[in-house]
Amino acid sequence: MRIGFIGLGLMGSRMATNLLRRAGYDLVVYNRTRAKAEPVLDLGAIWADSPAQLARQVDLIFTMLAHPEAVKQMALGEEGFLDALPPGAIWADCSTVNPSFSREMASQARERGIRFLDSPVAGTVGPATEGKLLFLVGGGPEDVETCRPLLEVMGRKIVHVGGHGQGTGLKMVFNLLLGEAMLAFSEALVLGRALGLSRDTLLDLLLGSAVVAPFLNGKRQRMVEEEYAAEFPLKWMRKDLHLASLTGYEEGIALPAVNVAKEVFALAAGDGLGDEDFSAIYQFMADKAGLDQSQAKASYGRDE
Amino acid sequence: MRIGFIGLGLMGSRMATNLLRRAGYDLVVYNRTRAKAEPVLDLGAIWADSPAQLARQVDLIFTMLAHPEAVKQMALGEEGFLDALPPGAIWADCSTVNPSFSREMASQARERGIRFLDSPVAGTVGPATEGKLLFLVGGGPEDVETCRPLLEVMGRKIVHVGGHGQGTGLKMVFNLLLGEAMLAFSEALVLGRALGLSRDTLLDLLLGSAVVAPFLNGKRQRMVEEEYAAEFPLKWMRKDLHLASLTGYEEGIALPAVNVAKEVFALAAGDGLGDEDFSAIYQFMADKAGLDQSQAKASYGRDE
Amino acid sequence: MRIGFIGLGLMGSRMATNLLRRAGYDLVVYNRTRAKAEPVLDLGAIWADSPAQLARQVDLIFTMLAHPEAVKQMALGEEGFLDALPPGAIWADCSTVNPSFSREMASQARERGIRFLDSPVAGTVGPATEGKLLFLVGGGPEDVETCRPLLEVMGRKIVHVGGHGQGTGLKMVFNLLLGEAMLAFSEALVLGRALGLSRDTLLDLLLGSAVVAPFLNGKRQRMVEEEYAAEFPLKWMRKDLHLASLTGYEEGIALPAVNVAKEVFALAAGDGLGDEDFSAIYQFMADKAGLDQSQAKASYGRDE
Amino acid sequence: MRIGFIGLGLMGSRMATNLLRRAGYDLVVYNRTRAKAEPVLDLGAIWADSPAQLARQVDLIFTMLAHPEAVKQMALGEEGFLDALPPGAIWADCSTVNPSFSREMASQARERGIRFLDSPVAGTVGPATEGKLLFLVGGGPEDVETCRPLLEVMGRKIVHVGGHGQGTGLKMVFNLLLGEAMLAFSEALVLGRALGLSRDTLLDLLLGSAVVAPFLNGKRQRMVEEEYAAEFPLKWMRKDLHLASLTGYEEGIALPAVNVAKEVFALAAGDGLGDEDFSAIYQFMADKAGLDQSQAKASYGRDE
């Protein structure tokens, strides 16, 4: 079996590397900018000059792209791969996109005799490197089984969530929880600091308690050092909250907290924080509150 | 030492019971409605006919009341206790109020030679019954030490957070995190269900994961059974989010997510859910989304 | 010149009627449900069995449809009109859609040698009947001039706003102002009533003042009678706020008030108000506030 | 009759000037900073060294102060005026405060045999100078009649709204409409500009239309010149939205749009815009959208 991989960014390059090293299959790759493909080419991957050219050589194609528009362009744009795949091939889209888009891609694939899975991942660069991602998969049971051995090369756990769009649906649910928790925690810290509690006291008391999500421990260092190296860029969090908002509209449901979080992240992006880690929303709230390191008030005796 | 206790509701009655049983001090009690005091009177507590009458008999007074207005009424209203306490007495207010109110009470107490602590509790009826509350205390170190043995009768941990208003400040921070997490989780569940995932699948996958706060496990049963016996009533969550919003205004900081959560809880109260547990916000969101038990969609094959 | 008209709903049927009566051209019509076409067929319009069949008979086609998905289906779906129009024909889309969709349609049209205008209308059923709509047009100047005589048959004013997507862009701007003003006014009325002011006093003092948009006068009767016959259904307002939110995302700008209004309308739709006039958002807010006719408090002497 | 006036800021100084010039009564004045009183002292007003000293000399006292805390300090603080006024005197509070505060002041006054009116004004510096303010008055009919001649010296219209707190209630309703309309208009402009429409085109088309409140015409120059000389400072708009939010809480009603607007103004204040006119919220939104003068896109041909 020959495998194709399109999208060799931060995540995709690591996933492709694991396929190369640990699966023992030939891997044909394509990326919009070729330079980003060099590391996997050095490891033995084969370059294709277009998505279509790649598709003609493979039975299974993985995509790991930034947003629905990018997926659509690769699949259905000029020299797109969907018309070039051999009938019966499988396309597993690992991108974080909205469920209705996944269902549309499933439908486009089916019309061409291609099998489709939406198989987005939970986990960041670290787990991607170690092959320990969590795959949330939507699609037919047989297709999931066909892909499982390959997914297991890249991930520690494969959850077959349901039909098409339910893998990306669950991913969206995870991400809105991340975004809202990060914003709520930021507001909590800023309020506490404004009341004279030190940031460290607050972090000590809140992190590890039952009222905050455990992933926030992993953001502590960034908030303390006020350096927000991007594990998950703020602009993609904005995108994911947008996709959740869009899905809420499509499904006819109200999501007020999602929508407000979306707009607060949008304001932060407007302040130039889009490429920082999404935990930089704390910095945005702290800046607007006029808080900085030097202004940390003594934690005792405020009113004496 | 004789101790007074005002406010014998769900929480206060259990706290007073522990003082009676485990501290071995005389306990004088007062409550707006005397009937609620009967259980502790049966255990040997002494009834006072007014806050002032109570105050004349004690050296230390605990209050556990519903909101700032109630505290103010007991302390400074007609027959209030603050003018009747002997100089040098201590008042520990365990109510969940806003920090500026605590500072105002500290100031009113100081003018009368009374020592003040804000000592709100984290924990619900269960821990209150077992004497395992967490006390978050604001005030002078000596006053905290004076009260510590009694607080330890009611709680498992006493955190001296800082000066006046910092105990209630930290409590407010905890509660806004609870409220926002509950709302975010509700929106996540509703969105997932609208996409055809079953409630149980969602609960299984999300609870216990790194993206949700651990306390949410304790709400699972209510959401599954759609019965919201109040551990912490939705109307008090609305109040606490209001107090956080108010404090944000006083401190000159923006708290957009807090304010939106506040209004969503207000809308839910407007639908008659104020006396339910605050996890009933899930029911509110599900109702507006047109979801109910029977409409739970099959989790597989939506688009086939 | 033969003209086609697709979409004979509340607005479209009136616009088509004016074209028939006042323009003196042959008019070929299509509608998803044929029954709605009967009135214009009685006036002499010619029925086509599909969008494509209609397109083969005309040089200029108007569409007046509910949302982007409906437009796309008619233009590019099975038996869609875009492939069937003769080269050089003009398509004027009067639907309220989002600007990026208009640009996409312009692009699809151009590929087929078809000229495109986005020409949404401001105005409701009354002006549509009287041929007094306001057209906000995006597209090339020559194409606008070609259509102008026909637009003038349906409207009192034709504003050539700019290039493709700028007609629908301006329409979206108008509609978000309508939606937010209606919500703000509803909150203002509810707050005033809660404070004991009568609804009539508030309406008398606010309507006509400099602080409210004049269109609100036209909603007075509905609010007074609590009957919300749809001039512009709440569900379409929700849609338009969604399209504005979507456009804000695409353009990289934050629109917090738009997004919150969108979600409040979504909650109101969840209470079954989607088919009512969008001024029913007042009813939603009043219901949640526990206000009804009988509870209107006396406007004098509340605190005496 | 001798009249007192406390609070000689932007508005108060002009109101006092009219009383001096046009009413022919003796006017005793007090202000926290004496320097601001000099202009009216030059015109013949008599200085009092404290609110209490002023109160001992007058039968009627006007207050025009920035917020409830300032009013409370002057009335009930050290050397406050309320205990010093002769029984039967009238206190008319022209400050913009919340209704429950007005009712509390009415109650404090009544206990001391003082009659109270809440009589906030609609109108800015211009109308204040010309004696053309609109007074919105809450209180007993006889007291209103007693004050009417003096109010007419300062205002063009006196509306007796109802009982205590209903004058300030109606004022709050006006101000929330101002704030929300300004924010909605700003979002509309920013969205339109992002779509390539010029600011001037948008202002020409929107101002004067039925979808925007007429007062917005008065903000055009500021938005065009991007200079926001304060007619009504943004920080006071934030305060008024806060008071509306507070009142919504007290009255048990939800005001989601008010609360979000409040927080957007708070974020803008955090960017240093608090002392600018509240129309500077447009600048805040435009800045976050990355729009500036030079980036105004051509209004035609975007997609060609």
Side-chain angles (χ1 to χ4, degrees), chain D residues 3-175:
Chain D
I3 300 168
F5 204 106
I6 295 180
L8 298 163
L10 272 180
M11 296 291 289
S13 60
R14 279 144 180 99
M15 293 162 71
T17 298
N18 279 319
L19 284 173
L20 266 171
R21 286 193 168 145
R22 299 165 59 182
Y25 290 108
D26 285 343
L27 192 73
V28 190
V29 300
Y30 176 77
N31 197 60
R32 199 161 47 95
T33 13
R34 182 172 167 150
K36 289 195 182 163
E38 293 301 342
V40 294
L41 296 178
D42 290 347
L43 292 170
I46 300 153
W47 177 256
D49 282 331
S50 75
Q53 201 177 81
L54 180 149
R56 286 180 207 107
Q57 307 173 50
V58 304
D59 309 299
L60 191 158
I61 192 166
F62 288 105
T63 44
M64 184 63 180
L65 296 156
H67 43 66
E69 293 72 25
V71 176
K72 196 164 196 172
Q73 180 59 29
M74 292 289 172
L76 294 162
E78 213 174 327
E79 283 292 292
F81 64 77
L82 209 48
D83 281 327
L85 281 172
I90 298 190
W91 169 24
D93 183 19
C94 302
S95 315
T96 296
V97 296
N98 49 315
S100 62
F101 179 80
S102 292
R103 294 197 298 266
E104 184 194 339
M105 291 302 104
S107 170
Q108 292 280 357
R110 193 166 44 234
E111 287 176 15
R112 291 160 174 86
I114 308 299
R115 296 178 285 161
F116 178 81
L117 295 180
D118 47 294
S119 51
V121 300
T124 51
V125 172
T129 307
E130 298 159 28
K132 294 194 169 164
L133 293 166
L134 166 61
F135 282 89
L136 305 170
V137 189
E142 283 182 32
D143 301 338
V144 176
E145 291 318 306
T146 304
C147 288
R148 189 180 290 275
L150 290 162
L151 296 175
E152 285 176 342
V153 161
M154 299 183 280
R156 66 176 164 79
K157 194 171 176 189
I158 319 302
V159 177
H160 183 197
V161 183
H164 290 139
Q166 294 191 323
T168 43
L170 185 57
K171 176 67 194 298
M172 209 168 58
V173 162
F174 270 97
N175 280 15

Side-chain angles (χ1 to χ4, degrees), chain D residues 213-234:
Chain D
F215 85 89
L216 287 161
N217 286 287
K219 301 299 185 189
R220 178 174 187 147
Q221 197 184 345
R222 285 177 179 79
M223 289 186 276
V224 168
E225 298 179 357
E226 303 196 349
E227 294 283 348
Y228 300 92
E231 190 175 38
F232 182 33
L234 189 144

Side-chain angles (χ1 to χ4, degrees), chain B residues 81-101:
Chain B
F81 64 79
L82 208 48
D83 281 329
L85 280 171
I90 298 190
W91 168 25
D93 183 20
C94 302
S95 315
T96 295
V97 297
N98 49 315
S100 62
F101 179 80

Side-chain angles (χ1 to χ4, degrees), chain C residues 141 164 166 187 195 257 299-300 303, chain D residues 141 164 166 187 257 299-300 303:
Chain C
H164 291 139
Q166 294 192 323
E187 293 194 2
L195 290 167
S299 72
Y300 176 71
D303 59 327
Chain D
H164 290 139
Q166 294 191 323
E187 293 194 1
S299 72
Y300 176 70
D303 59 327

Side-chain angles (χ1 to χ4, degrees), chain C residues 140-141 161-162 164 166 170 180 184 187 194-197 205 210 212 214-215 251 253-254 256-258 260 285 289 299-300 302-304, chain D residues 139-141 161-162 164 166 170 184 187 194-197 210 212 214-215 251 253-254 256-258 260 285 289 299-300 302-304:
Chain C
V161 183
H164 291 139
Q166 294 192 323
L170 185 57
E180 293 194 53
E187 293 194 2
L195 290 167
L197 297 163
L205 287 165
V212 302
F215 85 89
E251 298 290 334
I253 64 176
V258 164
V260 167
M285 298 307 302
S299 72
Y300 176 71
R302 178 193 175 89
D303 59 327
E304 259 72 28
Chain D
V161 183
H164 290 139
Q166 294 191 323
L170 185 57
E187 293 194 1
L195 289 167
L197 297 163
V212 301
F215 85 89
E251 298 291 334
I253 63 176
V258 164
V260 166
M285 298 308 301
S299 72
Y300 176 70
R302 179 194 175 89
D303 59 327
E304 260 71 30

